[in-house]
Amino acid sequence: MRLLTNPVVVCTSTHGSTPRAMTMSSFTSLTLSPTPLVTFNVATPSRTLDAVSASGEFNIHVLAGDEAGAAVADHFTRGNVDGVFDGLEGAEVESVAGLPPLLKGEGVLRVLRCRVLKDGPHGGLMRVRDHVIVVGEVVEMIPGK
């Protein structure tokens, strides 16, 4: 997490067979021990949040602080229209059945595979007015470019 120069990341998840993604700036590390936890908040309604909630899994793509990282971030600010990954330049999308979409290539430094924390009465999803705070447990780190 010390390598994260800014909190702008892309979150991907899958709702049924439909891939979802969004750029977010509220991402932060919560704790490293006993297992790494991360958190972010999402305004509702959100198709990506629906996917995270339904699947219980998501990927956080830590972006490079250069033009390639900015291009990836910009691509996912348009909302979750059909074909949200279409036209993505520089990075490529790896889809594996049952897993959230994985972005690889230019602009992606690391990918954190996460699952929604299951602790407590609300698990890792806490509604606060028109937002939901998501707490995820990092289960794997995948190096990028």
Side-chain angles (χ1 to χ4, degrees), residues 96-137:
V96 176
L99 293 175
L102 181 67
L103 302 177
K104 292 182 162 186
E106 296 296 322
V108 180
L109 293 178
R110 303 255 188 293
V111 180
L112 304 176
R113 284 204 184 270
C114 303
R115 65 177 164 231
V116 175
L117 187 67
K118 295 181 178 155
D119 296 359
H122 303 289
L125 303 171
M126 173 68 72
R127 180 169 290 282
V128 179
R129 296 188 179 170
D130 65 343
H131 280 68
V132 171
I133 299 170
V134 178
V135 178
E137 182 176 20

PDB file of all heavy atoms in Angstrom, residues 96-137:
ATOM      1  N   VAL A  96     -12.501 -14.847 -16.494  1.00  0.00           N
ATOM      2  CA  VAL A  96     -12.521 -16.249 -16.093  1.00  0.00           C
ATOM      3  C   VAL A  96     -13.860 -16.486 -15.415  1.00  0.00           C
ATOM      4  O   VAL A  96     -14.244 -15.712 -14.521  1.00  0.00           O
ATOM      5  CB  VAL A  96     -11.361 -16.576 -15.124  1.00  0.00           C
ATOM      6  CG1 VAL A  96     -11.434 -18.009 -14.643  1.00  0.00           C
ATOM      7  CG2 VAL A  96     -10.009 -16.294 -15.777  1.00  0.00           C
ATOM      8  N   ALA A  97     -14.578 -17.496 -15.846  1.00  0.00           N
ATOM      9  CA  ALA A  97     -15.905 -17.774 -15.293  1.00  0.00           C
ATOM     10  C   ALA A  97     -15.864 -17.832 -13.768  1.00  0.00           C
ATOM     11  O   ALA A  97     -14.997 -18.477 -13.188  1.00  0.00           O
ATOM     12  CB  ALA A  97     -16.435 -19.080 -15.860  1.00  0.00           C
ATOM     13  N   GLY A  98     -16.783 -17.131 -13.150  1.00  0.00           N
ATOM     14  CA  GLY A  98     -16.886 -17.151 -11.699  1.00  0.00           C
ATOM     15  C   GLY A  98     -15.990 -16.171 -10.973  1.00  0.00           C
ATOM     16  O   GLY A  98     -16.064 -16.055  -9.756  1.00  0.00           O
ATOM     17  N   LEU A  99     -15.131 -15.444 -11.697  1.00  0.00           N
ATOM     18  CA  LEU A  99     -14.235 -14.473 -11.062  1.00  0.00           C
ATOM     19  C   LEU A  99     -14.495 -13.081 -11.626  1.00  0.00           C
ATOM     20  O   LEU A  99     -14.907 -12.941 -12.778  1.00  0.00           O
ATOM     21  CB  LEU A  99     -12.773 -14.847 -11.305  1.00  0.00           C
ATOM     22  CG  LEU A  99     -12.270 -16.124 -10.640  1.00  0.00           C
ATOM     23  CD1 LEU A  99     -10.836 -16.416 -11.075  1.00  0.00           C
ATOM     24  CD2 LEU A  99     -12.355 -16.024  -9.129  1.00  0.00           C
ATOM     25  N   PRO A 100     -14.211 -12.047 -10.844  1.00  0.00           N
ATOM     26  CA  PRO A 100     -14.351 -10.684 -11.370  1.00  0.00           C
ATOM     27  C   PRO A 100     -13.374 -10.443 -12.526  1.00  0.00           C
ATOM     28  O   PRO A 100     -12.292 -11.047 -12.561  1.00  0.00           O
ATOM     29  CB  PRO A 100     -13.982  -9.796 -10.175  1.00  0.00           C
ATOM     30  CG  PRO A 100     -14.132 -10.664  -8.977  1.00  0.00           C
ATOM     31  CD  PRO A 100     -13.826 -12.055  -9.438  1.00  0.00           C
ATOM     32  N   PRO A 101     -13.724  -9.583 -13.475  1.00  0.00           N
ATOM     33  CA  PRO A 101     -12.815  -9.264 -14.583  1.00  0.00           C
ATOM     34  C   PRO A 101     -11.477  -8.744 -14.063  1.00  0.00           C
ATOM     35  O   PRO A 101     -11.420  -8.007 -13.078  1.00  0.00           O
ATOM     36  CB  PRO A 101     -13.554  -8.177 -15.356  1.00  0.00           C
ATOM     37  CG  PRO A 101     -14.985  -8.352 -14.979  1.00  0.00           C
ATOM     38  CD  PRO A 101     -14.979  -8.847 -13.567  1.00  0.00           C
ATOM     39  N   LEU A 102     -10.413  -9.134 -14.745  1.00  0.00           N
ATOM     40  CA  LEU A 102      -9.056  -8.761 -14.364  1.00  0.00           C
ATOM     41  C   LEU A 102      -8.455  -7.907 -15.469  1.00  0.00           C
ATOM     42  O   LEU A 102      -8.396  -8.341 -16.621  1.00  0.00           O
ATOM     43  CB  LEU A 102      -8.225 -10.031 -14.159  1.00  0.00           C
ATOM     44  CG  LEU A 102      -6.778  -9.867 -13.743  1.00  0.00           C
ATOM     45  CD1 LEU A 102      -6.688  -9.286 -12.340  1.00  0.00           C
ATOM     46  CD2 LEU A 102      -6.070 -11.206 -13.793  1.00  0.00           C
ATOM     47  N   LEU A 103      -8.052  -6.686 -15.135  1.00  0.00           N
ATOM     48  CA  LEU A 103      -7.395  -5.799 -16.092  1.00  0.00           C
ATOM     49  C   LEU A 103      -5.897  -6.036 -16.017  1.00  0.00           C
ATOM     50  O   LEU A 103      -5.321  -6.077 -14.929  1.00  0.00           O
ATOM     51  CB  LEU A 103      -7.691  -4.340 -15.774  1.00  0.00           C
ATOM     52  CG  LEU A 103      -9.155  -3.926 -15.739  1.00  0.00           C
ATOM     53  CD1 LEU A 103      -9.291  -2.458 -15.342  1.00  0.00           C
ATOM     54  CD2 LEU A 103      -9.821  -4.192 -17.072  1.00  0.00           C
ATOM     55  N   LYS A 104      -5.271  -6.165 -17.185  1.00  0.00           N
ATOM     56  CA  LYS A 104      -3.825  -6.379 -17.259  1.00  0.00           C
ATOM     57  C   LYS A 104      -3.248  -5.440 -18.302  1.00  0.00           C
ATOM     58  O   LYS A 104      -3.949  -5.025 -19.217  1.00  0.00           O
ATOM     59  CB  LYS A 104      -3.518  -7.822 -17.680  1.00  0.00           C
ATOM     60  CG  LYS A 104      -3.876  -8.864 -16.672  1.00  0.00           C
ATOM     61  CD  LYS A 104      -3.484 -10.220 -17.190  1.00  0.00           C
ATOM     62  CE  LYS A 104      -3.409 -11.233 -16.086  1.00  0.00           C
ATOM     63  NZ  LYS A 104      -2.903 -12.508 -16.560  1.00  0.00           N
ATOM     64  N   GLY A 105      -1.969  -5.144 -18.160  1.00  0.00           N
ATOM     65  CA  GLY A 105      -1.292  -4.368 -19.185  1.00  0.00           C
ATOM     66  C   GLY A 105      -0.977  -2.954 -18.755  1.00  0.00           C
ATOM     67  O   GLY A 105      -0.861  -2.652 -17.563  1.00  0.00           O
ATOM     68  N   GLU A 106      -0.817  -2.093 -19.745  1.00  0.00           N
ATOM     69  CA  GLU A 106      -0.412  -0.704 -19.513  1.00  0.00           C
ATOM     70  C   GLU A 106      -1.352   0.004 -18.538  1.00  0.00           C
ATOM     71  O   GLU A 106      -2.566  -0.066 -18.688  1.00  0.00           O
ATOM     72  CB  GLU A 106      -0.387   0.067 -20.833  1.00  0.00           C
ATOM     73  CG  GLU A 106       0.643  -0.435 -21.820  1.00  0.00           C
ATOM     74  CD  GLU A 106       2.072  -0.271 -21.321  1.00  0.00           C
ATOM     75  OE1 GLU A 106       2.386   0.741 -20.671  1.00  0.00           O
ATOM     76  OE2 GLU A 106       2.875  -1.182 -21.588  1.00  0.00           O
ATOM     77  N   GLY A 107      -0.764   0.665 -17.550  1.00  0.00           N
ATOM     78  CA  GLY A 107      -1.533   1.464 -16.609  1.00  0.00           C
ATOM     79  C   GLY A 107      -1.955   0.752 -15.345  1.00  0.00           C
ATOM     80  O   GLY A 107      -2.433   1.381 -14.410  1.00  0.00           O
ATOM     81  N   VAL A 108      -1.806  -0.571 -15.283  1.00  0.00           N
ATOM     82  CA  VAL A 108      -2.211  -1.341 -14.100  1.00  0.00           C
ATOM     83  C   VAL A 108      -0.962  -1.829 -13.377  1.00  0.00           C
ATOM     84  O   VAL A 108      -0.220  -2.661 -13.892  1.00  0.00           O
ATOM     85  CB  VAL A 108      -3.114  -2.530 -14.481  1.00  0.00           C
ATOM     86  CG1 VAL A 108      -3.530  -3.308 -13.243  1.00  0.00           C
ATOM     87  CG2 VAL A 108      -4.333  -2.055 -15.266  1.00  0.00           C
ATOM     88  N   LEU A 109      -0.723  -1.300 -12.160  1.00  0.00           N
ATOM     89  CA  LEU A 109       0.467  -1.677 -11.376  1.00  0.00           C
ATOM     90  C   LEU A 109       0.282  -2.973 -10.598  1.00  0.00           C
ATOM     91  O   LEU A 109       1.189  -3.787 -10.517  1.00  0.00           O
ATOM     92  CB  LEU A 109       0.811  -0.569 -10.382  1.00  0.00           C
ATOM     93  CG  LEU A 109       1.294   0.755 -10.942  1.00  0.00           C
ATOM     94  CD1 LEU A 109       1.540   1.735  -9.801  1.00  0.00           C
ATOM     95  CD2 LEU A 109       2.561   0.554 -11.748  1.00  0.00           C
ATOM     96  N   ARG A 110      -0.876  -3.122  -9.977  1.00  0.00           N
ATOM     97  CA  ARG A 110      -1.177  -4.281  -9.143  1.00  0.00           C
ATOM     98  C   ARG A 110      -2.677  -4.516  -9.180  1.00  0.00           C
ATOM     99  O   ARG A 110      -3.456  -3.597  -9.389  1.00  0.00           O
ATOM    100  CB  ARG A 110      -0.800  -4.047  -7.678  1.00  0.00           C
ATOM    101  CG  ARG A 110       0.635  -3.695  -7.414  1.00  0.00           C
ATOM    102  CD  ARG A 110       1.378  -4.871  -6.821  1.00  0.00           C
ATOM    103  NE  ARG A 110       2.710  -4.560  -6.361  1.00  0.00           N
ATOM    104  CZ  ARG A 110       3.729  -4.211  -7.106  1.00  0.00           C
ATOM    105  NH1 ARG A 110       3.578  -3.994  -8.365  1.00  0.00           N
ATOM    106  NH2 ARG A 110       4.931  -4.023  -6.602  1.00  0.00           N
ATOM    107  N   VAL A 111      -3.051  -5.749  -8.903  1.00  0.00           N
ATOM    108  CA  VAL A 111      -4.461  -6.076  -8.744  1.00  0.00           C
ATOM    109  C   VAL A 111      -4.619  -6.775  -7.406  1.00  0.00           C
ATOM    110  O   VAL A 111      -3.873  -7.706  -7.092  1.00  0.00           O
ATOM    111  CB  VAL A 111      -4.974  -6.993  -9.874  1.00  0.00           C
ATOM    112  CG1 VAL A 111      -6.462  -7.299  -9.669  1.00  0.00           C
ATOM    113  CG2 VAL A 111      -4.735  -6.361 -11.234  1.00  0.00           C
ATOM    114  N   LEU A 112      -5.572  -6.306  -6.626  1.00  0.00           N
ATOM    115  CA  LEU A 112      -5.888  -6.939  -5.352  1.00  0.00           C
ATOM    116  C   LEU A 112      -7.187  -7.720  -5.535  1.00  0.00           C
ATOM    117  O   LEU A 112      -8.237  -7.122  -5.795  1.00  0.00           O
ATOM    118  CB  LEU A 112      -6.066  -5.884  -4.254  1.00  0.00           C
ATOM    119  CG  LEU A 112      -4.889  -4.936  -4.039  1.00  0.00           C
ATOM    120  CD1 LEU A 112      -5.251  -3.897  -2.981  1.00  0.00           C
ATOM    121  CD2 LEU A 112      -3.637  -5.686  -3.662  1.00  0.00           C
ATOM    122  N   ARG A 113      -7.104  -9.033  -5.435  1.00  0.00           N
ATOM    123  CA  ARG A 113      -8.320  -9.853  -5.465  1.00  0.00           C
ATOM    124  C   ARG A 113      -8.896  -9.820  -4.056  1.00  0.00           C
ATOM    125  O   ARG A 113      -8.186 -10.104  -3.082  1.00  0.00           O
ATOM    126  CB  ARG A 113      -8.009 -11.288  -5.857  1.00  0.00           C
ATOM    127  CG  ARG A 113      -7.741 -11.458  -7.324  1.00  0.00           C
ATOM    128  CD  ARG A 113      -8.027 -12.917  -7.729  1.00  0.00           C
ATOM    129  NE  ARG A 113      -7.689 -13.150  -9.100  1.00  0.00           N
ATOM    130  CZ  ARG A 113      -8.528 -12.990 -10.122  1.00  0.00           C
ATOM    131  NH1 ARG A 113      -9.752 -12.580  -9.891  1.00  0.00           N
ATOM    132  NH2 ARG A 113      -8.146 -13.234 -11.344  1.00  0.00           N
ATOM    133  N   CYS A 114     -10.161  -9.467  -3.945  1.00  0.00           N
ATOM    134  CA  CYS A 114     -10.773  -9.281  -2.629  1.00  0.00           C
ATOM    135  C   CYS A 114     -12.106  -9.998  -2.530  1.00  0.00           C
ATOM    136  O   CYS A 114     -12.767 -10.251  -3.538  1.00  0.00           O
ATOM    137  CB  CYS A 114     -11.014  -7.797  -2.371  1.00  0.00           C
ATOM    138  SG  CYS A 114      -9.548  -6.755  -2.475  1.00  0.00           S
ATOM    139  N   ARG A 115     -12.495 -10.278  -1.304  1.00  0.00           N
ATOM    140  CA  ARG A 115     -13.854 -10.746  -1.030  1.00  0.00           C
ATOM    141  C   ARG A 115     -14.427  -9.851   0.061  1.00  0.00           C
ATOM    142  O   ARG A 115     -13.703  -9.342   0.924  1.00  0.00           O
ATOM    143  CB  ARG A 115     -13.868 -12.210  -0.637  1.00  0.00           C
ATOM    144  CG  ARG A 115     -13.179 -12.511   0.662  1.00  0.00           C
ATOM    145  CD  ARG A 115     -13.303 -13.982   1.019  1.00  0.00           C
ATOM    146  NE  ARG A 115     -12.331 -14.287   2.053  1.00  0.00           N
ATOM    147  CZ  ARG A 115     -11.479 -15.289   2.000  1.00  0.00           C
ATOM    148  NH1 ARG A 115     -11.475 -16.114   0.992  1.00  0.00           N
ATOM    149  NH2 ARG A 115     -10.627 -15.487   2.977  1.00  0.00           N
ATOM    150  N   VAL A 116     -15.727  -9.665   0.000  1.00  0.00           N
ATOM    151  CA  VAL A 116     -16.401  -8.824   0.983  1.00  0.00           C
ATOM    152  C   VAL A 116     -16.226  -9.467   2.351  1.00  0.00           C
ATOM    153  O   VAL A 116     -16.457 -10.669   2.520  1.00  0.00           O
ATOM    154  CB  VAL A 116     -17.900  -8.657   0.640  1.00  0.00           C
ATOM    155  CG1 VAL A 116     -18.614  -7.871   1.737  1.00  0.00           C
ATOM    156  CG2 VAL A 116     -18.056  -7.957  -0.709  1.00  0.00           C
ATOM    157  N   LEU A 117     -15.807  -8.679   3.327  1.00  0.00           N
ATOM    158  CA  LEU A 117     -15.593  -9.167   4.689  1.00  0.00           C
ATOM    159  C   LEU A 117     -16.911  -9.692   5.247  1.00  0.00           C
ATOM    160  O   LEU A 117     -17.957  -9.079   5.057  1.00  0.00           O
ATOM    161  CB  LEU A 117     -15.055  -8.027   5.561  1.00  0.00           C
ATOM    162  CG  LEU A 117     -14.620  -8.405   6.970  1.00  0.00           C
ATOM    163  CD1 LEU A 117     -13.391  -9.310   6.922  1.00  0.00           C
ATOM    164  CD2 LEU A 117     -14.324  -7.163   7.774  1.00  0.00           C
ATOM    165  N   LYS A 118     -16.837 -10.809   5.928  1.00  0.00           N
ATOM    166  CA  LYS A 118     -18.058 -11.421   6.456  1.00  0.00           C
ATOM    167  C   LYS A 118     -18.231 -11.213   7.953  1.00  0.00           C
ATOM    168  O   LYS A 118     -19.183 -11.716   8.537  1.00  0.00           O
ATOM    169  CB  LYS A 118     -18.061 -12.912   6.121  1.00  0.00           C
ATOM    170  CG  LYS A 118     -18.129 -13.141   4.623  1.00  0.00           C
ATOM    171  CD  LYS A 118     -18.155 -14.588   4.278  1.00  0.00           C
ATOM    172  CE  LYS A 118     -18.280 -14.671   2.769  1.00  0.00           C
ATOM    173  NZ  LYS A 118     -17.804 -15.816   2.160  1.00  0.00           N
ATOM    174  N   ASP A 119     -17.337 -10.482   8.605  1.00  0.00           N
ATOM    175  CA  ASP A 119     -17.413 -10.249  10.049  1.00  0.00           C
ATOM    176  C   ASP A 119     -18.576  -9.329  10.394  1.00  0.00           C
ATOM    177  O   ASP A 119     -18.966  -8.473   9.600  1.00  0.00           O
ATOM    178  CB  ASP A 119     -16.130  -9.588  10.559  1.00  0.00           C
ATOM    179  CG  ASP A 119     -14.908 -10.468  10.402  1.00  0.00           C
ATOM    180  OD1 ASP A 119     -15.050 -11.600   9.917  1.00  0.00           O
ATOM    181  OD2 ASP A 119     -13.807 -10.016  10.749  1.00  0.00           O
ATOM    182  N   GLY A 120     -19.088  -9.470  11.601  1.00  0.00           N
ATOM    183  CA  GLY A 120     -20.075  -8.535  12.129  1.00  0.00           C
ATOM    184  C   GLY A 120     -21.472  -8.730  11.571  1.00  0.00           C
ATOM    185  O   GLY A 120     -21.689  -9.504  10.645  1.00  0.00           O
ATOM    186  N   PRO A 121     -22.422  -7.992  12.112  1.00  0.00           N
ATOM    187  CA  PRO A 121     -23.826  -8.171  11.714  1.00  0.00           C
ATOM    188  C   PRO A 121     -24.134  -7.730  10.283  1.00  0.00           C
ATOM    189  O   PRO A 121     -25.070  -8.225   9.679  1.00  0.00           O
ATOM    190  CB  PRO A 121     -24.594  -7.314  12.721  1.00  0.00           C
ATOM    191  CG  PRO A 121     -23.604  -6.320  13.222  1.00  0.00           C
ATOM    192  CD  PRO A 121     -22.266  -7.002  13.163  1.00  0.00           C
ATOM    193  N   HIS A 122     -23.372  -6.806   9.749  1.00  0.00           N
ATOM    194  CA  HIS A 122     -23.614  -6.308   8.393  1.00  0.00           C
ATOM    195  C   HIS A 122     -22.569  -6.821   7.408  1.00  0.00           C
ATOM    196  O   HIS A 122     -22.605  -6.444   6.239  1.00  0.00           O
ATOM    197  CB  HIS A 122     -23.599  -4.772   8.362  1.00  0.00           C
ATOM    198  CG  HIS A 122     -24.583  -4.164   9.296  1.00  0.00           C
ATOM    199  ND1 HIS A 122     -25.938  -4.209   9.077  1.00  0.00           N
ATOM    200  CD2 HIS A 122     -24.421  -3.513  10.472  1.00  0.00           C
ATOM    201  CE1 HIS A 122     -26.566  -3.601  10.065  1.00  0.00           C
ATOM    202  NE2 HIS A 122     -25.673  -3.179  10.931  1.00  0.00           N
ATOM    203  N   GLY A 123     -21.636  -7.626   7.891  1.00  0.00           N
ATOM    204  CA  GLY A 123     -20.544  -8.061   7.031  1.00  0.00           C
ATOM    205  C   GLY A 123     -19.734  -6.861   6.610  1.00  0.00           C
ATOM    206  O   GLY A 123     -19.566  -5.915   7.369  1.00  0.00           O
ATOM    207  N   GLY A 124     -19.251  -6.861   5.401  1.00  0.00           N
ATOM    208  CA  GLY A 124     -18.413  -5.768   4.925  1.00  0.00           C
ATOM    209  C   GLY A 124     -19.176  -4.700   4.170  1.00  0.00           C
ATOM    210  O   GLY A 124     -18.564  -3.927   3.432  1.00  0.00           O
ATOM    211  N   LEU A 125     -20.493  -4.639   4.322  1.00  0.00           N
ATOM    212  CA  LEU A 125     -21.300  -3.633   3.634  1.00  0.00           C
ATOM    213  C   LEU A 125     -22.101  -2.840   4.664  1.00  0.00           C
ATOM    214  O   LEU A 125     -22.974  -3.387   5.330  1.00  0.00           O
ATOM    215  CB  LEU A 125     -22.262  -4.295   2.637  1.00  0.00           C
ATOM    216  CG  LEU A 125     -21.617  -5.179   1.572  1.00  0.00           C
ATOM    217  CD1 LEU A 125     -22.687  -5.929   0.799  1.00  0.00           C
ATOM    218  CD2 LEU A 125     -20.763  -4.343   0.632  1.00  0.00           C
ATOM    219  N   MET A 126     -21.775  -1.555   4.796  1.00  0.00           N
ATOM    220  CA  MET A 126     -22.448  -0.717   5.784  1.00  0.00           C
ATOM    221  C   MET A 126     -23.066   0.495   5.090  1.00  0.00           C
ATOM    222  O   MET A 126     -22.354   1.314   4.519  1.00  0.00           O
ATOM    223  CB  MET A 126     -21.429  -0.241   6.837  1.00  0.00           C
ATOM    224  CG  MET A 126     -21.982   0.766   7.814  1.00  0.00           C
ATOM    225  SD  MET A 126     -23.219   0.109   8.913  1.00  0.00           S
ATOM    226  CE  MET A 126     -22.227  -0.897   9.949  1.00  0.00           C
ATOM    227  N   ARG A 127     -24.396   0.576   5.130  1.00  0.00           N
ATOM    228  CA  ARG A 127     -25.093   1.707   4.503  1.00  0.00           C
ATOM    229  C   ARG A 127     -24.982   2.934   5.394  1.00  0.00           C
ATOM    230  O   ARG A 127     -25.224   2.872   6.593  1.00  0.00           O
ATOM    231  CB  ARG A 127     -26.562   1.381   4.269  1.00  0.00           C
ATOM    232  CG  ARG A 127     -27.306   2.537   3.608  1.00  0.00           C
ATOM    233  CD  ARG A 127     -28.676   2.124   3.145  1.00  0.00           C
ATOM    234  NE  ARG A 127     -28.642   1.203   2.017  1.00  0.00           N
ATOM    235  CZ  ARG A 127     -28.413   1.570   0.757  1.00  0.00           C
ATOM    236  NH1 ARG A 127     -28.178   2.821   0.456  1.00  0.00           N
ATOM    237  NH2 ARG A 127     -28.412   0.671  -0.200  1.00  0.00           N
ATOM    238  N   VAL A 128     -24.589   4.060   4.796  1.00  0.00           N
ATOM    239  CA  VAL A 128     -24.538   5.350   5.478  1.00  0.00           C
ATOM    240  C   VAL A 128     -25.207   6.364   4.544  1.00  0.00           C
ATOM    241  O   VAL A 128     -24.626   6.739   3.516  1.00  0.00           O
ATOM    242  CB  VAL A 128     -23.082   5.781   5.783  1.00  0.00           C
ATOM    243  CG1 VAL A 128     -23.065   7.144   6.468  1.00  0.00           C
ATOM    244  CG2 VAL A 128     -22.366   4.741   6.616  1.00  0.00           C
ATOM    245  N   ARG A 129     -26.432   6.716   4.862  1.00  0.00           N
ATOM    246  CA  ARG A 129     -27.253   7.598   4.022  1.00  0.00           C
ATOM    247  C   ARG A 129     -27.319   7.090   2.595  1.00  0.00           C
ATOM    248  O   ARG A 129     -27.822   6.003   2.365  1.00  0.00           O
ATOM    249  CB  ARG A 129     -26.788   9.029   4.133  1.00  0.00           C
ATOM    250  CG  ARG A 129     -26.966   9.579   5.550  1.00  0.00           C
ATOM    251  CD  ARG A 129     -26.693  11.025   5.652  1.00  0.00           C
ATOM    252  NE  ARG A 129     -26.916  11.456   7.044  1.00  0.00           N
ATOM    253  CZ  ARG A 129     -26.590  12.619   7.488  1.00  0.00           C
ATOM    254  NH1 ARG A 129     -26.034  13.513   6.683  1.00  0.00           N
ATOM    255  NH2 ARG A 129     -26.823  12.933   8.737  1.00  0.00           N
ATOM    256  N   ASP A 130     -26.815   7.852   1.621  1.00  0.00           N
ATOM    257  CA  ASP A 130     -26.918   7.430   0.223  1.00  0.00           C
ATOM    258  C   ASP A 130     -25.643   6.751  -0.281  1.00  0.00           C
ATOM    259  O   ASP A 130     -25.422   6.659  -1.480  1.00  0.00           O
ATOM    260  CB  ASP A 130     -27.282   8.612  -0.674  1.00  0.00           C
ATOM    261  CG  ASP A 130     -26.186   9.668  -0.718  1.00  0.00           C
ATOM    262  OD1 ASP A 130     -25.311   9.660   0.172  1.00  0.00           O
ATOM    263  OD2 ASP A 130     -26.209  10.490  -1.649  1.00  0.00           O
ATOM    264  N   HIS A 131     -24.818   6.266   0.634  1.00  0.00           N
ATOM    265  CA  HIS A 131     -23.589   5.559   0.276  1.00  0.00           C
ATOM    266  C   HIS A 131     -23.533   4.219   1.000  1.00  0.00           C
ATOM    267  O   HIS A 131     -24.217   4.016   1.997  1.00  0.00           O
ATOM    268  CB  HIS A 131     -22.347   6.382   0.673  1.00  0.00           C
ATOM    269  CG  HIS A 131     -22.022   7.459  -0.290  1.00  0.00           C
ATOM    270  ND1 HIS A 131     -22.817   8.560  -0.475  1.00  0.00           N
ATOM    271  CD2 HIS A 131     -20.985   7.605  -1.131  1.00  0.00           C
ATOM    272  CE1 HIS A 131     -22.280   9.353  -1.392  1.00  0.00           C
ATOM    273  NE2 HIS A 131     -21.161   8.786  -1.811  1.00  0.00           N
ATOM    274  N   VAL A 132     -22.681   3.346   0.484  1.00  0.00           N
ATOM    275  CA  VAL A 132     -22.379   2.095   1.173  1.00  0.00           C
ATOM    276  C   VAL A 132     -20.869   2.024   1.314  1.00  0.00           C
ATOM    277  O   VAL A 132     -20.130   2.229   0.351  1.00  0.00           O
ATOM    278  CB  VAL A 132     -22.909   0.869   0.397  1.00  0.00           C
ATOM    279  CG1 VAL A 132     -22.390  -0.424   1.012  1.00  0.00           C
ATOM    280  CG2 VAL A 132     -24.432   0.871   0.364  1.00  0.00           C
ATOM    281  N   ILE A 133     -20.423   1.766   2.539  1.00  0.00           N
ATOM    282  CA  ILE A 133     -19.003   1.541   2.802  1.00  0.00           C
ATOM    283  C   ILE A 133     -18.750   0.052   2.634  1.00  0.00           C
ATOM    284  O   ILE A 133     -19.449  -0.780   3.214  1.00  0.00           O
ATOM    285  CB  ILE A 133     -18.611   1.989   4.222  1.00  0.00           C
ATOM    286  CG1 ILE A 133     -18.863   3.492   4.388  1.00  0.00           C
ATOM    287  CG2 ILE A 133     -17.151   1.643   4.514  1.00  0.00           C
ATOM    288  CD1 ILE A 133     -18.738   3.986   5.816  1.00  0.00           C
ATOM    289  N   VAL A 134     -17.777  -0.275   1.799  1.00  0.00           N
ATOM    290  CA  VAL A 134     -17.428  -1.670   1.522  1.00  0.00           C
ATOM    291  C   VAL A 134     -16.088  -1.964   2.188  1.00  0.00           C
ATOM    292  O   VAL A 134     -15.125  -1.215   2.015  1.00  0.00           O
ATOM    293  CB  VAL A 134     -17.312  -1.920   0.000  1.00  0.00           C
ATOM    294  CG1 VAL A 134     -16.894  -3.363  -0.273  1.00  0.00           C
ATOM    295  CG2 VAL A 134     -18.616  -1.575  -0.707  1.00  0.00           C
ATOM    296  N   VAL A 135     -16.042  -3.053   2.949  1.00  0.00           N
ATOM    297  CA  VAL A 135     -14.791  -3.529   3.534  1.00  0.00           C
ATOM    298  C   VAL A 135     -14.491  -4.876   2.902  1.00  0.00           C
ATOM    299  O   VAL A 135     -15.337  -5.782   2.918  1.00  0.00           O
ATOM    300  CB  VAL A 135     -14.870  -3.655   5.071  1.00  0.00           C
ATOM    301  CG1 VAL A 135     -13.554  -4.194   5.633  1.00  0.00           C
ATOM    302  CG2 VAL A 135     -15.225  -2.324   5.713  1.00  0.00           C
ATOM    303  N   GLY A 136     -13.311  -4.981   2.321  1.00  0.00           N
ATOM    304  CA  GLY A 136     -12.927  -6.218   1.662  1.00  0.00           C
ATOM    305  C   GLY A 136     -11.649  -6.790   2.225  1.00  0.00           C
ATOM    306  O   GLY A 136     -10.759  -6.055   2.660  1.00  0.00           O
ATOM    307  N   GLU A 137     -11.584  -8.107   2.214  1.00  0.00           N
ATOM    308  CA  GLU A 137     -10.374  -8.815   2.635  1.00  0.00           C
ATOM    309  C   GLU A 137      -9.573  -9.157   1.391  1.00  0.00           C
ATOM    310  O   GLU A 137     -10.089  -9.745   0.452  1.00  0.00           O
ATOM    311  CB  GLU A 137     -10.773 -10.089   3.383  1.00  0.00           C
ATOM    312  CG  GLU A 137      -9.602 -10.868   3.897  1.00  0.00           C
ATOM    313  CD  GLU A 137     -10.054 -12.078   4.724  1.00  0.00           C
ATOM    314  OE1 GLU A 137     -11.209 -12.513   4.584  1.00  0.00           O
ATOM    315  OE2 GLU A 137      -9.216 -12.574   5.479  1.00  0.00           O
TER     316      GLU A 137
END
